[in-house]
Amino acid sequence: MSSQAKVSRPTYPNDIPYPRNQWYVAAFSRDVGSELLSRVLLDTPVVLYRTSDGSPVALYDRCPHRGLPLSMGKLQGDVLQCGYHGIEFATDGKALRVPQQEKIYSSLCVRSFPVVDKGPFLWIWMGDPAKADDGLLPDDSWMGIGHQDECVLPYQMFEVDAHFQLVHDNLSDTSHLPYIHEGVLEEGGLAGTDIEFREEGQMLWLLRESKRIVLPPPVAELFGAKPDTEYDRWYENSTFVPSLCLGRYYLTESDNPNAQPIKQLTVNAVTPSTLGKTFIFDVQGNLFQHGSETDVARIAYVIEQDIDAWHVLQQRYEQFGEKKEISIISDTAGLAARRIMQHLVSLERNEAEAA
Ligand code: FES
Ligand SMILES: [Fe+2]
């Protein structure tokens, strides 16, 4: 018997695993091509690529023969050849050729996952494939797709060593901005602003409106606003549980309502990798110049501030199993997200037990 101490699973405030019968972002569409891309999504190793006509493919990343990750093989046209003994697999995961013999057993196949490109993202369905339905994907218009003035484009992917619930808690509530992002994103009054909250199915909206705020110079510069000028601000966080968080930020000059408003859309797709690791796919609207090193560095700086906090929280959960929390009014959306996730997970468990 191994003398190695058994490592207990980390615990989380609500012990929520993740619902599987949902669309999650597997990658930015631009990052999946004719090279094999290996990624662990919802505790499952997946290999991603595109066929010669550009169609996306996602297969379980393990050869059923002796287990080498298929991502260590190579593409021969649209066929994926395992790098160990050369068995070849079609895009649906079925073996097409076994170099060592003529017979191909039907059991020589790997699971394939439904994938679809939408917006800047490649979405994947990790649950029951019979339930995968493109109609369950978040709405185009809501994501800013096709809006000339929002024009969402992919920015950066972050790998965070923290449970995805910690990420949702943060992204669904802007009241942390004056503290974690002090002087970078906020002028200080946001936390005390009244909230309006709305919930509809898997969608949540949390709105904060402020009148006659003056942005400190670095924040004004970030958003292209005038210094020493009063603005009315409309800040909406909306969440599609469990996979997407949006922030819409509008500024209008308080004394010049006809001036061009400043708009910024931020989209963060949140995808669990494992219980202790989460991918964030960050997309920024057209206020920032896409690809500009300054803007990329600015956005990364802000997200790294959140990541620092998530890492500490994760470490504390793992080290001390701290679970007790006292929630406050600004947790309204985060708590609703947890409740919905718990509901989705329970539904899946009940269905599995009934099957
Ligand atoms: S492990 Fe893949 S062909 Fe043998
Ligand atoms: Fe943040």
Side-chain angles (χ1 to χ4, degrees), residues 7 11 34 64 83 116 143 205-206 243 260 269-270 274:
V7 179
T11 55
S34 55
V116 55
M143 283 197 286
W205 290 268
L206 192 131
S243 54
Q260 183 76 4
V270 183
T274 62

Side-chain angles (χ1 to χ4, degrees), residues 62-70 81-89 97-100 108:
R62 181 182 184 276
C63 177
H65 173 227
R66 284 294 178 268
L68 195 77
L70 289 171
Q81 183 186 67
C82 179
Y84 202 165
H85 310 92
I87 296 179
E88 294 175 357
F89 297 89
R97 193 173 87 88
V98 180
Q100 294 78 1
L108 265 177

Side-chain angles (χ1 to χ4, degrees), residues 247-289:
R248 277 198 163 86
Y249 188 93
Y250 293 167
L251 288 171
T252 50
E253 288 185 39
S254 307
D255 294 320
N256 187 8
N258 294 327
Q260 183 76 4
I262 292 169
K263 297 182 180 182
Q264 171 60 10
L265 172 64
T266 297
V267 182
N268 283 297
V270 183
T271 305
S273 175
T274 62
L275 277 176
K277 185 171 164 176
T278 302
F279 290 110
I280 296 179
F281 301 91
D282 178 68
V283 170
Q284 296 292 329
N286 64 354
L287 193 61
F288 296 96
Q289 288 178 28

Side-chain angles (χ1 to χ4, degrees), residues 4 25 48 55 126 168 180 223 261 264 323 336-337 346 354-355:
Q4 204 179 354
V25 170
L48 301 161
S55 304
M126 306 289 293
H168 271 289
I180 280 188
F223 288 103
Q264 171 60 10
K323 296 176 76 172
S346 305

